[in-house]
Amino acid sequence: MLSIIIPCYQYPTFDLVEELHSQCSSLAIPFEIIVKDDCSKNQFNNFKINQLTNCSYLISPENKGRSITRNDLIKQTKYPWILMLDCDMMPSTKEFISNYINRIENQEDVIFGGIEYQKNLSNKNEMLRWIYGTEREAKSASERNQSPYKNFLCSNTLFSRKIFDSILFDEEISTYGYEDLLLSKEVINSGFKILHIDNTAWHLQLDDNLVFLDKVEKSTQTLAKLILNKKMDWQDTKLSAYYEKNNNNLSFKVLKFAFKSLNLKSFLKQHLLSTKPRLKYLDLYRLLIFDQNYHQLKNQ
């Protein structure tokens, strides 16, 4: 009935698998849980996963990235429904699996359960990622269903296996970001439907501010490549849609000059690494970094 796949990198995943194993076992359903480690230097106690029934922990001999690892996992599954989870997630309720099983009976195509973040943050050095997650990612199902594919993440998602007969993750994406959005776009274009429900999992691991900001920069490069290669349209993200509309405005040209030649870049970065970052400054930073990456790639 259910295959659960978990790509893993540098994270202790046994507790997640143990919880999923307990929930599946209590329902007495056919299931398998497959974890694939993308050549981590530290496997923690993840080898214990192999001691659980119907569970396996595999290690890639080389680092392949998220898209290839996910595709490899998909190809190894045997059941008609595939639940994809990130390794740093944890079900927020004991009914997590049963909530998805109940939806299987309705023959949905893709179901995203949503993400939750802890209400209190203990490490102030993770403030930027926490604020971004709580304000931009932790949305109710009703909010997410207003733009189903734009609010889609694969960190807690149930798929009908038939989808992967024709669609897989784009393995040409070698830099960080947007592989989930590109997959969801292909799902919609192929006639499948994405449904959002309230069946959340906690996102436990938060990047520190510097790491998250680096990922933000890399994601704008990925977006620029996808648009230049015509795999995504300008209107597919708020960032690219705003950029296309305002790129030639005088006020935006002034901002680009200030970002490149004055101290605007340093000011924004200093603010985003502070203990009270504001997302409007992150949006501006992303926009101006995207501009640099887009023109650099376009002129290559």
Side-chain angles (χ1 to χ4, degrees), residues 125 207-215 269 273:
N125 197 38
D207 295 321
D208 68 45
N209 295 336
L210 273 173
V211 171
F212 180 61
L213 207 54
D214 180 65
K215 287 183 176 180
K269 195 165 186 178
L273 297 176

Side-chain angles (χ1 to χ4, degrees), residues 2-21:
L2 181 65
S3 296
I4 302 176
I5 58 174
I6 305 170
C8 175
Y9 183 72
Q10 293 287 108
Y11 196 79
T13 312
F14 177 76
D15 289 349
L16 168 61
V17 176
E18 187 176 40
E19 175 62 28
L20 296 169
H21 180 271

